[in-house]
Amino acid sequence: MREKILAVIEKNSRIDLNDLAMMLGATEAEVANEIADMEKEHIICGYHTLINWDNTSNEKVTALIEVKVTPQRGLGFDKIAERMYNFPDVRAVYLMSGGFDFTVIIEEKTMKEVAQFVTDKLAPLEAVRGTATHFILKKYKDHGTVLAENNKDERMLVTP
């Protein structure tokens, strides 16, 4: 039942418990208890709202920062990741395979604020060997949800 609950609430965390219980053929109490247990076990780590900031008047810049580091002896990557994810500006930190070690995602109001974060906070960390910052220009799909509006091509067809 856990996997089914997780699959549903991952797409819609606001689903009514009664509706979820009916979908799963369980009682509302069973579903509520299972969700509470998964929260205690840190399987369910939080509930978030996906907002398309492009449709608001609020200006935000999202940056994906590639970070190369030298792992610390005896601590590996975990201590470095902890230093990075404790910055309030940081939305996500991922350990990566390939040409760099971490991906750090931040949101700020301006590109200058992103640059300031990298130069003042991220790059000075002693384990950091290099960074490369990429700005997200437009989000088409985020967390499984399509954000781009389907605009019809209203041009007229011209034939010879």
Side-chain angles (χ1 to χ4, degrees), residues 13 16 23 42 49 52 69 85 93 97 99 142:
S13 63
D16 182 73
M23 287 172 61
H42 212 63
T49 302
N52 186 351
V69 300
Y85 69 62
V93 176
S97 64
D142 196 1

Side-chain angles (χ1 to χ4, degrees), residues 39-89:
E39 290 171 344
K40 286 178 196 161
E41 295 170 31
H42 212 63
I43 294 170
I44 297 174
C45 301
Y47 301 89
H48 303 277
T49 302
L50 179 60
I51 299 169
N52 186 351
W53 290 104
D54 289 345
N55 290 342
T56 71
S57 60
N58 194 350
E59 292 289 322
K60 284 188 180 253
V61 174
T62 304
L64 183 149
I65 306 163
E66 298 174 357
V67 183
K68 290 183 183 181
V69 300
T70 302
Q72 296 175 320
R73 175 169 282 144
L75 300 173
F77 292 104
D78 294 345
K79 200 69 175 165
I80 301 165
E82 182 180 357
R83 298 259 333 257
M84 290 188 289
Y85 69 62
N86 279 322
F87 289 121
D89 310 303

Side-chain angles (χ1 to χ4, degrees), residues 65-69 79-91 93 104-109 112-131 133:
I65 306 163
E66 298 174 357
V67 183
K68 290 183 183 181
V69 300
K79 200 69 175 165
I80 301 165
E82 182 180 357
R83 298 259 333 257
M84 290 188 289
Y85 69 62
N86 279 322
F87 289 121
D89 310 303
V90 172
R91 307 259 308 147
V93 176
V104 176
I105 298 174
I106 68 169
E107 283 185 351
E108 294 290 355
K109 291 186 179 183
K112 183 177 180 178
E113 286 178 342
V114 170
Q116 205 164 8
F117 170 80
V118 173
T119 58
D120 295 349
K121 296 179 181 176
L122 193 58
L125 295 176
E126 65 183 62
V128 173
R129 292 188 352 243
T131 64
T133 303

Side-chain angles (χ1 to χ4, degrees), residues 22-39:
M22 286 186 351
M23 287 172 61
L24 301 174
T27 68
E28 193 172 327
E30 288 173 324
V31 171
N33 289 336
E34 197 66 42
I35 289 173
D37 288 346
M38 288 189 286
E39 290 171 344

